[in-house]
Every structure is written in structure tokens, then in C-alpha cells.
Amino acid sequence: KQEVTQIPAALSVPEGENLVLNCSFTDSAIYNLQWFRQDPGKGLTSLLLIQSSQREQTSGRLNASLDKSSGRSTLYIAASQPGDSATYLCAVCGGSRLTFGEGTQLTVNP
Amino acid sequence: EAQVTQNPRYLITVTGKKLTVTCSQNMNHEYMSWYRQDPGLGLRQIYYSMNVEVTDKGDVPEGYKVSRKEKRNFPLILESPSPNQTSLYFCASSLFASGGGLNTQYFGPGTRLTVL
């Protein structure tokens, strides 16, 4: 059974800092990995999707990498802003289902 | 606007009183899914549907029913709700990815359910 772990569970940084969020998974037989953002009390918003054949994907200040063989993905956020404060979740797609990590709660302090 | 809608957004009910949470998407997505989110347990899948009339159990299907009679709608039914079903519920939808698996997931705003 696929298990997804996100470390750290919470992270607090000053504005402007570059940061990395980590996601690891136990079964490397995946189709893709997806990163989401969740604001308090709200639904999830998709940030990036990396296909299993890709190494990285970029969108604005966000860069996600994938190392399928080692079961790891990272989400790099450049020049963090207070508006980036949210919970970030990764999810691996093993076919017809997604398995989610518990998320990293990020706080960016002005 | 492309979106997934859920109703109601908030619901307080009592044990045993049947309820339905509706989910609708306007993106012609084949795949739809229900999740519940609980502190310390993360997002867990309840049921999913690959297309009309095709549904399957997720990780925590006990106490829930679903149906997919139309492509755009995927209601979640609690026939006899219990307090342990108090949770935040999300509906999601997507296309299938060309290389296999699921494409980008679109989530609804959530339904906060309290069962007394």
C-alpha cells in the first residue's frame, strides 16, 4: 500500500527566504505526483503536476522535482511572501487513485 | 467558470438522519472522487467514479454510498450518519492523463459536517 510522508509538518520562515518542502513515497510505480496548496477552511488548489517521466516542473516561483527511483519529491519556493502561507500537500497517482501526504503547514512572516 | 461545487457548505445534523451532499462539475470530467479530511489523518478517499455508472470504494467507504447517474454529478449519501462521520468533505474531479493515471485534480470548496 502506498504511503506518502511530508517533512516537516510545519515550517516558519521570514519573508524573502527560499525554502524546500519534502515529500517521500514508498511505491515508485506511479504515473505522476501532484502538489497542492490549501488555505485554512478552503479546498485544495493544484500547483504543479509532474509526470513520472519528468524530473522537474516549474511555475513562477515554484519548482517541483521528482526522483521516482528514490521515492522523493521536493517543492522549492523562491523568494517567499506572506501570501504563500498555507498548507502544502503532495499526492502520488498510482493509477485510478491519489494518495496524499498530511501536508506541511508553511508560515511566511513579514 | 470551470469549477466543482458542493452543497451544502456547512451541515449540522443528528445521528441516524439520512443526508446527501451534492457535488457537481462543469468541466466534462470523467473521474470524480470524494475525500474526507481529519486532523492527524490527512485526506482519505471514500469513493471514486471512473465514469457514469462506474464507482468503486476508496480507503474508508464504510457508512457512505455514492451514485453516478450523470457525468457532472456525484452525490455522497450518508444513510445513517454517526458522530465519527463528523469531518470536512471534499469532492474532486479530473480528466484522465494521456500517459495513464489521473490529470490535475480540481477540488470543491468543502462541506463541513457535524453529526451530533
Side-chain angles (χ1 to χ4, degrees):
Chain A
K1 181 185 172 184
Q2 179 74 267
E3 292 182 4
V4 180
T5 304
Q6 291 187 246
I7 295 173
L11 181 63
S12 181
V13 301
E15 182 177 2
E17 191 162 299
N18 302 325
L19 59 100
V20 174
L21 307 180
N22 297 292
C23 173
S24 62
F25 48 96
T26 55
D27 186 349
S28 62
I30 66 171
Y31 283 96
N32 62 60
L33 185 144
Q34 303 186 27
W35 282 94
F36 297 87
R37 167 187 174 135
Q38 184 177 24
D39 293 287
K42 302 282 182 66
L44 282 70
T45 300
S46 178
L47 297 173
L48 289 164
L49 181 153
I50 314 180
Q51 300 288 358
S52 61
S53 58
Q54 295 177 310
R55 296 287 290 183
E56 65 178 60
Q57 192 70 256
T58 298
S59 176
R61 294 184 294 108
L62 305 180
N63 177 278
S65 70
L66 175 63
D67 184 343
K68 202 174 75 160
S69 61
S70 68
R72 295 178 189 274
S73 176
T74 61
L75 179 66
Y76 174 84
I77 302 177
S80 58
Q81 303 170 358
D84 295 330
S85 298
T87 297
Y88 292 80
L89 297 100
C90 69
V92 296
C93 178
S96 58
R97 301 178 55 184
L98 289 181
T99 303
F100 284 82
E102 288 195 39
T104 294
Q105 185 175 357
L106 173 66
T107 302
V108 181
N109 301 299
Chain B
E1 179 190 355
Q3 60 182 349
V4 178
T5 56
Q6 294 179 229
N7 283 293
R9 294 288 315 280
Y10 303 90
L11 179 60
I12 301 174
T13 190
V14 296
T15 298
K17 186 176 182 182
K18 181 179 178 179
L19 65 93
T20 299
V21 184
T22 64
C23 173
S24 182
Q25 49 91 7
N26 62 0
M27 296 167 279
N28 203 35
H29 287 168
E30 300 101 339
Y31 182 89
M32 297 187 74
S33 179
W34 276 103
Y35 298 88
R36 60 178 289 174
Q37 186 175 38
D38 302 286
L41 296 175
L43 269 163
R44 294 178 292 168
Q45 192 177 47
I46 304 170
Y47 270 96
Y48 63 98
S49 170
M50 305 276 274
N51 214 325
V52 175
E53 303 291 1
V54 181
T55 63
D56 210 343
K57 297 177 180 178
D59 296 314
V60 288
E62 295 79 19
Y64 304 94
K65 285 177 58 178
V66 293
S67 68
R68 186 94 180 271
K69 293 183 169 53
E70 305 166 282
K71 198 171 187 178
R72 64 182 293 129
N73 297 322
F74 191 44
L76 179 69
I77 302 158
L78 285 72
E79 297 253 345
S80 184
S82 62
N84 65 12
Q85 293 179 298
T86 293
S87 186
L88 180 57
Y89 291 86
F90 290 105
C91 180
S93 72
S94 76
L95 296 170
F96 293 110
S98 57
L102 303 173
N103 213 324
T104 299
Q105 296 291 296
Y106 291 81
F107 279 78
T111 295
R112 187 166 292 282
L113 173 65
T114 301
V115 183
L116 302 175

